[in-house]
Amino acid sequence: MSGDDPKDKPRDLAALKQRVLEQLPLDPSAEPAPKPESTNARYQQLKTQGGRLVSARRRRSLSQQRTLARLEQIGIDLNSHPPLPSEIAYLTPFLIRATLPHKKPKAEIRTWRRRYHTHEGIVTVTYEAGVADTADGKGRPIGLPYGVYARLILSWIVTEALTTGSPVLRIEPNLTSWIRDALDLIPSGGDTGTFTGVRDAMTRLLNCKIKLRLNGKDAHFTVVPIEGATNFWDKALAADDDAALTAEEIRELDQNPLQLTVNGTFFQQILERSAPFLLRAHRELANTSNCLALDLYPFLTLKQYSLYIAKAKAPEIVSWDTLSEFLGHTYKRRDHFQEGVIAALEMVKKIYPGCNAEVVRGGILVRPGEPHVPLKDKSPKTALAAASKPTAALPAPDAAPRPVRGS
């Protein structure tokens, strides 16, 4: 037998480790030096304002939950009855697949280019900012259209041209009623009011030239005011401090209402290839000020129906790169863009329960399905089947648009 006392043997490895540590000499100089405090700006912000940031995040979370609950209830109401023709809005595929900027671009940015793929090739859509006439003849640069107001106005232009069958559009009976009824906005004045926002968006749109290019062929789309029509975007026609126009201004608009005209190429696209969606769903998403949700909604209803009529048996994954190419986002980081799309898709699925889309590792997976506007209830003028087909050959470009006098 060994001469070692059994009581001195450690019972397990942990006990042995503890005994070894107890016998080691303590040398303070051998201890690692503490790491210096990080100078990262985000770290310092969390250290000094952590409590307030957490509270703000909780408030945003509660606000988002209330928004989702409201959209879900609206979605239930919308699907409880077939839509009337007046409850359907339209957009052309190139406006769905090549969206405007979400935020105001910098003044030096004069073009905005988006692209998407079809069976016939890559379609490139370029928005070119215009120049307004000035008294000195030098012209004044007008920025690119952007944001929610521009999207609402474009939807109204396409819907009005399709339902009336005319390229001439009238804003009537007066500006206040048009903002309230056609755009579903509360008329208000001031620097941040709807009058100012709509006037700015319309000025940018009317001075913007849209160029669509496919396989070396170009087509130009414009919306310009008819000569002699009242320039309602002029500041003289919208009181900065009042919520509505004066009686004299309303009478002036009634006698000579603003008229717009879309050029022949644009009007042909509207008649032949417009895709429908529910007007109220579009407006409610606009009320959230989330342009990503506003862009994803018509895209997904068109995409899943395109797979449906193509009799696709397998779903299709729309990659993050593809989404980034045509959505008008300004995210600099991919993870932030993905988070924005995930949040926007959650909103869309609340108000559009039939949306067969979900987030997967590579992007958004879309399954075949019916559009949000049931086929049996769609307007006879709707060309959803044509809108879901590959882009047709484009006609020759129209003449260059006439410059528009800005505000």
Side-chain angles (χ1 to χ4, degrees):
M1 293 181 60
S2 173
D4 296 336
D5 188 353
K7 295 181 180 180
D8 294 336
K9 293 181 178 180
R11 297 182 179 180
D12 50 29
L13 185 61
L16 177 60
K17 181 179 180 180
Q18 181 64 29
R19 290 181 59 183
V20 171
L21 292 176
E22 291 176 353
Q23 296 175 5
L24 290 176
L26 298 179
D27 185 4
S29 62
E31 295 182 1
K35 295 183 179 180
E37 186 176 4
S38 173
T39 58
N40 181 273
R42 182 61 177 170
Y43 172 81
Q44 294 294 336
Q45 183 184 23
L46 290 173
K47 181 178 178 181
T48 57
Q49 305 177 14
R52 283 180 291 178
L53 291 176
V54 171
S55 299
R57 184 177 299 175
R58 289 174 179 172
R59 287 196 297 271
R60 286 196 300 270
S61 178
L62 291 174
S63 176
Q64 185 176 10
Q65 291 176 14
R66 288 193 293 267
T67 299
L68 292 175
R70 180 175 60 83
L71 293 177
E72 184 176 18
Q73 184 59 50
I74 294 172
I76 295 173
D77 296 340
L78 290 176
N79 290 275
S80 62
H81 64 279
L84 299 173
S86 60
E87 298 174 338
I88 302 175
Y90 304 87
L91 274 177
T92 58
F94 79 86
L95 291 176
I96 295 175
R97 300 295 303 274
T99 60
L100 294 169
H102 291 173
K103 297 181 180 180
K104 183 177 180 179
K106 296 181 179 179
E108 58 269 20
I109 299 179
R110 306 297 297 164
T111 58
W112 178 261
R113 186 173 290 107
R114 302 281 94 180
R115 65 176 185 172
Y116 60 94
H117 299 261
T118 70
H119 296 291
E120 295 186 352
I122 298 177
V123 180
T124 303
V125 181
T126 304
Y127 298 90
E128 298 180 0
V131 178
D133 291 336
T134 56
D136 57 9
K138 295 181 179 179
R140 180 172 63 86
I142 302 295
L144 289 163
Y146 69 95
V148 172
Y149 290 159
R151 285 165 168 78
L152 290 176
I153 294 172
L154 276 177
S155 175
W156 175 82
I157 288 173
V158 175
T159 303
E160 191 74 6
L162 181 64
T163 54
T164 61
S166 171
V168 179
L169 314 177
R170 295 167 62 91
I171 294 180
E172 53 186 4
N174 56 67
L175 180 58
T176 304
S177 299
W178 182 77
I179 290 178
R180 181 181 61 247
D181 300 333
L183 303 184
D184 195 34
L185 300 172
I186 299 175
S188 60
D191 293 338
T192 59
T194 53
F195 277 120
T196 303
V198 169
R199 186 173 60 245
D200 178 68
M202 185 66 84
T203 301
R204 292 168 181 264
L205 279 173
L206 296 184
N207 285 275
C208 180
K209 182 172 66 175
I210 307 172
K211 183 172 67 175
L212 191 149
R213 184 177 182 86
L214 169 64
N215 297 335
K217 296 182 180 180
D218 291 345
H220 297 268
F221 305 109
T222 58
V223 182
V224 298
I226 293 177
E227 190 69 31
T230 302
N231 293 328
F232 85 91
W233 58 88
D234 193 328
K235 292 182 179 180
L237 292 179
D240 288 338
D241 299 322
D242 299 331
L245 297 176
T246 65
E248 181 180 355
E249 291 166 345
I250 291 178
R251 283 195 299 270
E252 182 180 353
L253 285 175
D254 288 340
Q255 294 173 0
N256 188 18
L258 174 67
Q259 298 184 40
L260 308 176
T261 180
V262 295
N263 71 339
T265 309
F266 194 4
F267 186 58
Q268 180 183 350
Q269 287 276 320
I270 290 174
L271 291 180
E272 296 179 355
R273 300 174 54 80
S274 293
F277 50 89
L278 291 186
L279 177 60
R280 187 183 175 192
H282 193 251
R283 287 176 171 178
E284 291 296 339
L285 290 173
N287 289 337
T288 66
S289 299
N290 189 318
C291 287
L292 269 177
L294 202 58
D295 292 340
L296 280 177
Y297 167 60
F299 166 72
L300 290 175
T301 186
L302 177 60
K303 183 64 178 179
Q304 69 179 38
Y305 181 67
S306 301
L307 297 175
Y308 176 78
I309 63 174
K311 298 181 180 179
K313 297 182 180 180
E316 179 178 328
I317 294 180
V318 184
S319 68
W320 295 117
D321 289 336
T322 301
L323 289 169
S324 181
E325 284 180 348
F326 76 83
L327 290 174
H329 73 94
T330 55
Y331 291 102
K332 295 182 179 179
R333 289 177 46 175
R334 171 62 65 87
D335 56 338
H336 290 173
F337 170 66
Q338 293 175 354
E339 291 173 0
V341 171
I342 292 172
L345 180 61
E346 188 175 9
M347 291 183 179
V348 172
K349 296 184 73 170
K350 291 295 184 182
I351 206 167
Y352 177 21
C355 179
N356 294 330
E358 61 180 287
V359 176
V360 295
R361 184 174 183 179
I364 293 182
L365 184 143
V366 184
R367 295 183 175 86
E370 293 283 347
H372 205 188
V373 177
L375 298 181
K376 62 182 180 180
D377 300 312
K378 69 176 184 177
S379 168
K381 294 178 181 286
T382 301
L384 179 58
S388 59
K389 293 180 181 178
T391 303
L394 299 172
D398 293 350
R402 176 178 60 82
V404 181
R405 187 175 299 278
S407 56

